[in-house]
Amino acid sequence: MGSSSLTEGAAAASHPAPADQPVVKPVIAAKAAKRANASVIGMIIALLLCVLAFLPIVLMNPAPKSANFRPLVDVAATSANAKDVAGFTPVAPDTGDTFSPNYARWESGTNNGVPTWEVGYLTPKQAFIGIIQTRKGNPTWVYQETGNAPVTGTRSAGGHDWELHDTGKGSRSLVLNYRGTTVILSGTAGFDEFDTMATAVVKAMDAAPVASPDASSSASDTRSQPATTKP
């Protein structure tokens, strides 16, 4: 019995329990490891080539910086081109380099029957003032163009009293009927910048001929008046 126990003990010592066996780590063959590394290196090289291919395109077309970018808008030239169709000289205020124009256009008024000259300016304080001018202005059109804002008073600028429409929410408008046209300044700028623009607008209008009366408006006004007879 003692001999049997010794034999079993020797067998157990030579074959330990599975829990005591060391963990065998898999070993990748050298050729397989080389192929894997080559694939990774190839992808990295391909990515670098793509970046290098698109880099010249990005460098040649840099994104404009909002603080310095100014669209090339020639307000005076566009005004001259629109003069004949407008029937008056569209206002082109001289603001030097302080106000930056970002659009200037003539709108035919297909939707509302009021053709307009429209110019937009970015102010020195990075606010906005838009100019809209027509010789077919009417109370309804003015109300719409001023954002349905109520008349809150007048403001003197350029030697004239402009009608002030103010929403009280940061947007305001100045309206002036002068030399045959109605001109509206609207935007989010402060009163100081509105006064500067309004003065430049009046100066430009003074330098231009008085707008001739619109034929259709004159005819409408004549039809609306009662007939009279001479004694």
Side-chain angles (χ1 to χ4, degrees):
M1 184 172 180
S3 176
S4 177
S5 297
L6 291 174
T7 304
E8 291 175 356
S14 61
H15 298 285
D20 298 333
Q21 292 181 355
V23 179
V24 179
K25 296 182 180 180
V27 178
I28 301 176
K31 291 184 178 180
K34 187 176 181 180
R35 286 195 299 269
N37 289 335
S39 298
V40 173
I41 293 173
M43 287 189 293
I44 294 174
I45 292 174
L47 180 61
L48 290 175
L49 290 175
C50 290
V51 172
L52 291 175
F54 284 101
L55 188 59
I57 299 175
V58 175
L59 293 176
M60 288 187 294
N61 298 276
K65 297 181 179 179
S66 58
N68 299 323
F69 177 70
R70 293 186 178 185
L72 298 177
V73 178
D74 191 332
V75 178
T78 309
S79 168
N81 291 335
K83 180 179 178 179
D84 291 339
V85 66
F88 62 93
T89 302
V91 65
D94 182 7
T95 59
D97 295 329
T98 56
F99 289 74
S100 303
N102 51 18
Y103 66 83
R105 61 192 176 220
W106 173 256
E107 293 289 344
S108 62
T110 303
N111 295 329
N112 59 9
V114 182
T116 54
W117 166 247
E118 301 177 5
V119 191
Y121 286 91
L122 184 67
T123 74
K125 296 181 180 179
Q126 301 303 301
F128 174 80
I129 296 178
I131 301 173
I132 186 166
Q133 183 184 22
T134 185
R135 60 174 179 160
K136 290 188 177 183
N138 58 70
T140 300
W141 174 81
V142 171
Y143 189 63
Q144 292 172 345
E145 292 300 328
T146 56
N148 303 334
V151 178
T152 58
T154 60
R155 187 165 184 85
S156 179
H160 295 272
D161 289 332
W162 297 65
E163 188 177 74
L164 174 62
H165 296 244
D166 200 337
T167 62
K169 298 179 180 179
S171 179
R172 56 180 59 92
S173 300
L174 295 178
V175 182
L176 179 67
N177 294 305
Y178 186 50
R179 294 177 66 83
T181 66
T182 301
V183 60
I184 301 175
L185 311 184
S186 298
T188 57
F191 280 118
D192 56 337
E193 293 185 320
F194 263 97
D195 292 346
T196 300
M197 179 60 73
T199 300
V201 166
V202 170
K203 185 176 180 179
M205 295 177 73
D206 284 338
V210 176
S212 59
D214 179 70
S216 60
S217 296
S218 298
S220 176
D221 293 342
T222 301
R223 288 193 299 268
S224 65
Q225 295 188 11
T228 58
T229 56
K230 294 182 179 181

